[in-house]
Amino acid sequence: MNNSVGNTARLIGAGLRALLVLTVICGVLYPLAVTGFAQALFNDEANGSETKDGSGQVVGSSLIGQTYNLPKKDPDDAEEAAKPDLRWFQPRPSNGLGGNSVNTQYALILSGATNRSADNGAVDGACPKDAEEGTLCAQVTTAKEAVIADNSTSGYQVKPQDVPADAVTSSGSGLDPNISPEYAKLQVHRVAERNELDVKQVEKLVADHTTGRTLGFMGEPRVNVLELNTALKALSKS
């Protein structure tokens, strides 16, 4: 009996010691080591890839897309469609999966895509002008018309064939922070006009914020919209 109780006590004691040791190693020392390693070698990434303006204030993360819309006339009206603030470069469509009160900078409850097929609403492989409402073709057609109307100025007319795919479609996550250089260049004349800047100044801004393929062969050239608009704000104030 005594041996049984003694063995049980030893097993419980060994288990508690193992629990204590593993808690210290896995719950304290390992997280501290990983955090220290990340802060020392990857400080920017470990802190969320923050983007800061000229004053040092954090304006967002370079990994998460933001919208640049005018304030709603009625903030409580969920049915009121947001209108883009055309002073700024616009991101890819978010095709919102719903609104939220936590991140008011982006109209998504969660990351995700529409899951519509590429030919959703198409007729004979092409999107008709009168595509059925709610289909991908209808969304793309409406978005394309808006891009042409918004970005055409008195001295620059956007041609339908010049509208790139990322201007009218959301990304797989719906949170893409980047746009193609082609879409950024398409917006240059409108942004210059709205901010009373020279077109060449804005073109240089886009060129300076264009990132090439990763390692020279992975992905596509891209422009980070948040970083570009942060630089635009600084240029407009100068």
Side-chain angles (χ1 to χ4, degrees):
M1 181 69 177
N2 290 337
N3 288 338
S4 178
V5 172
N7 290 336
T8 301
R10 282 195 297 274
L11 290 174
I12 293 175
L16 290 175
R17 288 193 295 274
L19 174 63
L20 178 62
V21 170
L22 290 174
T23 298
V24 171
I25 293 175
C26 299
V28 180
L29 297 181
Y30 177 72
L32 285 176
V34 171
T35 301
F37 180 81
Q39 289 292 338
L41 299 182
F42 307 101
N43 181 264
D44 181 55
E45 292 83 354
N47 290 311
S49 299
E50 296 173 339
T51 296
K52 299 179 180 179
D53 60 17
S55 65
Q57 181 179 357
V58 176
V59 294
S61 170
S62 62
L63 302 177
I64 303 293
Q66 294 187 12
T67 53
Y68 295 84
N69 294 327
L70 294 168
K72 286 187 175 184
K73 293 180 180 179
D74 182 1
D76 298 324
D77 184 3
E79 299 299 322
E80 182 184 346
K83 295 181 179 179
D85 187 342
L86 299 179
R87 295 175 302 162
W88 307 103
F89 284 93
Q90 294 296 313
R92 298 184 66 168
S94 64
N95 283 350
L97 302 177
N100 71 88
S101 59
V102 178
N103 177 11
T104 57
Q105 286 296 96
Y106 218 73
L108 291 182
I109 290 178
L110 63 150
S111 172
T114 62
N115 289 332
R116 291 187 174 92
S117 64
D119 61 352
N120 181 236
V123 176
D124 295 328
C127 286
K129 291 184 178 180
D130 58 345
E132 182 182 349
E133 186 176 353
T135 63
L136 181 62
C137 276
Q139 291 181 357
V140 168
T141 300
T142 301
K144 191 171 186 178
E145 291 172 352
V147 168
I148 293 172
D150 289 345
N151 292 284
S152 294
T153 65
S154 56
Y156 177 74
Q157 179 63 41
V158 177
K159 299 176 182 178
Q161 61 268 29
D162 292 337
V163 179
D166 63 305
V168 296
T169 57
S170 61
S171 65
S173 69
L175 300 170
D176 194 345
N178 304 312
I179 57 176
S180 66
E182 291 76 21
Y183 186 28
K185 292 173 184 175
L186 183 145
Q187 301 183 61
V188 163
H189 287 79
R190 182 254 300 161
V191 170
E193 182 181 86
R194 297 277 176 154
N195 290 279
E196 299 181 349
L197 296 170
D198 185 76
V199 170
K200 290 186 177 179
Q201 284 181 293
V202 183
E203 286 178 338
K204 184 178 185 304
L205 203 64
V206 171
D208 291 344
H209 288 82
T210 298
T211 304
R213 291 180 172 86
T214 304
L215 299 179
F217 68 94
M218 291 192 296
E220 295 293 333
R222 58 200 179 275
V223 179
N224 187 282
V225 181
L226 175 59
E227 294 175 355
L228 180 60
N229 279 332
T230 302
L232 173 63
K233 183 178 181 179
L235 179 63
S236 299
K237 287 183 176 181
S238 62

